[in-house]
Every structure is written in C-alpha cells, then in structure tokens.
Amino acid sequence: MEYSEVEGYVRAYMKDRGLAVVPVPMAAELFDMSSAGILGRIKSGVLKEARISGTRYVMMASILEVIEEEDREIKTVKTYLEQQARKGVSSVEYAPVMELLGLTTKLSAHRNKIGRILGK
C-alpha cells in the first residue's frame, strides 16, 4: 500500500481506521530487533507495510496479528510444560516443545524464537 502524499493517507485513514501504521523503528523496538530485521519481516510477508510520502511504516493490523500468534504459541508451550510438571517430569528437551509449534532445532531463527517464547 502506497500513498504519494501524507494527505492521501490521512484521508484514507479517515475512512478506514484499520490503516493505522507504526514507524519501522518503533516496530523494531516492540519486537526487540533492528530496523533491518523488521524490513526482513516485511519482505518475507510476516509484516505488512505502507509507504507514505516515501517513508516506510508497518501496518498496525499485521503487528497485532504477530503478537496474537505469539500469545497463542506462549499459551501452547505453557500448557504443555504445566502438563509435564503435573506428570512429575523434571526436565524437558527442546525438540518436543519446538515440535508443538512446527519449529526445528536445526534453524537458528527457530531456536531464537523458542528462546523468546520460553523467556515470556
């Protein structure tokens, strides 16, 4: 989505509040990554962007989708770990936890992701 002038974006936003945007640096701070990391997520389609008067922004709706998905993943992992604890299991390998989310220990991005999830 691209708007050549700020006024065009503002008028579109007046009609559709779903067009809310966040500057790339703010999205980077939110997700604790660099602006380049955010642009990579945009390129991969994880996040959606709007360009307004030549400046890149991240669509708020896509940010909320990522947060909601992460919340679901955290809940899945938490539930699994609580079940294991109730069974008396005192330690759990990473692999079965990661498999719950379709992740693999072979990819560093997946290992980073499970680390963030377990940290929360």
Side-chain angles (χ1 to χ4, degrees):
M1 171 173 327
E2 190 164 347
Y3 300 91
S4 59
E5 299 176 4
V6 174
E7 182 179 355
Y9 165 72
V10 171
R11 293 200 176 274
Y13 180 80
M14 288 170 61
K15 295 176 185 172
D16 181 0
R17 302 297 169 142
L19 296 177
V21 295
V22 172
V24 169
M26 285 178 63
E29 181 180 335
L30 174 67
F31 291 112
D32 193 27
M33 61 176 46
S34 66
S35 291
I38 293 298
L39 296 176
R41 283 185 161 199
I42 289 170
K43 186 176 180 179
S44 70
V46 171
L47 293 171
K48 300 199 178 2
E49 78 171 327
R51 291 184 188 218
I52 303 167
S53 189
T55 302
R56 296 174 93 172
Y57 297 88
V58 182
M59 299 297 299
M60 178 62 84
S62 69
I63 289 173
L64 296 178
E65 287 173 9
V66 168
I67 290 171
E68 289 167 352
E69 175 63 20
E70 185 175 84
D71 287 348
R72 281 189 293 275
E73 291 170 336
I74 290 168
K75 184 177 180 180
T76 298
V77 170
K78 182 179 178 184
T79 300
Y80 174 78
L81 294 174
E82 287 172 345
Q83 289 170 346
Q84 296 305 304
R86 278 193 288 282
K87 292 178 184 177
V89 175
S90 60
S91 67
V92 177
E93 298 284 330
Y94 279 97
V97 177
M98 293 175 74
E99 287 173 10
L100 290 170
L101 306 176
L103 304 176
T104 176
T105 58
K106 295 177 182 175
L107 297 175
S108 63
H110 288 188
R111 292 191 303 271
N112 291 339
K113 183 174 185 173
I114 198 66
R116 284 191 309 274
I117 289 170
L118 290 170
K120 290 184 178 190

